[in-house]
Amino acid sequence: MIAQHASRATAVGDTLQAPAGIQVSGVRGKVFTHRGEPLVGRTHGLMELALADHRMAVDGDLAARRGNGFVSMSEALLAEGETTGPALDAVFLAYRSPDLITHDVAGCYLAERLPGTPEPLAVADQGVGAPFTALRIAASMARSGELTRGALFVFDQNSTGWHEPFGRDTPVDTDAAVLLTFEAGDAGVRSITERRTEDPADALGELRGDHPAVPVLAGAGLRAHVPDADGPPAGAGHDCTSVWFALADRSPLRQPVLLADYDRVTGRLHSCLVAPSPGRAA
């Protein structure tokens, strides 16, 4: 089975919005402090080509590098919850850059691993916007009847410094992953938007005006530009996962929240509204 791949989204004008048709039934995350997996295994030449593709030189002993692959991080998340049950229709993977464990194909692995042999879809090359795009795709599938139950894995893999357009001030020594499950459950997702902006603080003000009195949980990218934005500070290197960790900390929801994050490479503010199902609101 071949994982489908979505690259950069095409926006109509400066704002892209779609009504959602999904509910989040669970969200959990995990930070990985230990790096025990060989990054390249027997594929040393393939890794060299991949790094060269990103205009990065191979420095040091490539074969000695260790990290956490998408498959092993997924398994750790699955081990913390129910791993059997009704069939899933789709499994989504969202990440900033491709899995450095090059001999694994995580989407195909998870399609075989999860009940129902779900369709795998990978969303990459959008920075922190990748999980929001995955939610938009899931919502469209739900509205068309293609998706009743599904899962979204969000990864931050910091095993090397590749694909860092702005670099980092200090090395990042942890990886992270978050799992969201979709079905009739605790919270509905809607108002999934992205706004092209050079002023994230101003865009955040407009977003708050669109949803008055709803608290905003800001991801690491947005908090870097708007330090007084709501939400706990994110761990270093948790770029894609930070806002979803904040959602996990609030679950089960008792009131609506806005999730928002800003990607300075694409210049887009991404957001979605997550509201508790009737009967769960405070």
Side-chain angles (χ1 to χ4, degrees):
M1 185 175 294
I2 299 175
Q4 300 177 37
H5 183 273
S7 189
R8 296 194 182 279
T10 301
V12 178
D14 290 335
T15 301
L16 195 159
Q17 179 169 349
I22 54 174
Q23 287 186 302
V24 175
S25 56
V27 53
R28 58 182 180 270
K30 187 174 181 66
V31 176
F32 299 84
T33 58
H34 176 68
R35 288 178 171 160
E37 294 179 80
L39 291 184
V40 296
R42 298 180 180 178
T43 58
H44 191 284
L46 180 60
M47 176 59 80
E48 288 182 329
L49 289 173
L51 290 172
D53 233 16
H54 285 71
R55 297 182 296 280
M56 295 194 66
V58 178
D59 56 348
D61 187 359
L62 187 65
R65 296 182 187 176
R66 298 290 185 270
N68 294 286
F70 290 178
V71 167
S72 62
M73 286 194 280
S74 300
E75 282 292 351
L77 289 172
L78 291 170
E80 295 184 354
E82 183 64 47
T83 58
T84 61
L88 302 184
D89 301 303
V91 56
F92 301 85
L93 292 79
Y95 44 86
R96 183 184 54 205
S97 55
D99 192 356
L100 292 172
I101 313 294
T102 56
H103 49 273
D104 285 338
V105 183
C108 296
Y109 172 87
L110 288 169
E112 295 295 328
R113 166 72 169 79
L114 295 170
T117 316
E119 186 73 18
L121 299 100
V123 183
D125 210 22
Q126 295 181 33
V128 302
F132 292 91
T133 297
L135 287 176
R136 187 180 294 114
I137 296 170
S140 296
M141 292 176 66
R143 290 193 301 274
S144 68
E146 298 177 84
L147 175 66
T148 301
R149 300 182 73 251
L152 166 60
F153 291 84
V154 185
F155 301 107
D156 277 315
Q157 189 185 67
N158 297 297
S159 300
T160 74
W162 86 335
H163 206 66
E164 291 288 353
F166 290 94
R168 294 191 186 278
D169 296 331
T170 57
V172 178
D173 59 3
T174 61
D175 300 325
V178 172
L179 169 60
L180 291 87
T181 52
F182 309 138
E183 61 181 315
D186 294 337
V189 183
R190 59 183 186 271
S191 298
I192 308 169
T193 68
E194 62 180 61
R195 306 173 187 219
R196 184 185 295 113
T197 179
E198 295 181 359
D199 187 346
D202 182 65
L204 177 60
E206 293 181 5
L207 182 64
R208 284 171 164 158
D210 293 341
H211 303 277
V214 177
V216 177
L217 299 183
L222 182 56
R223 288 180 64 86
H225 292 270
V226 190
D228 63 341
D230 304 330
H238 299 173
D239 303 316
C240 285
T241 56
S242 63
V243 73
W244 311 103
F245 273 111
L247 178 62
D249 289 342
R250 291 285 188 102
S251 296
L253 289 178
R254 298 300 178 185
Q255 64 175 340
V257 294
L258 274 165
L259 306 183
D261 212 344
Y262 179 70
D263 190 87
R264 59 177 172 168
V265 178
T266 61
R268 294 182 183 278
L269 178 72
H270 300 269
S271 67
C272 67
L273 179 69
V274 185
S277 301
R280 282 193 172 272

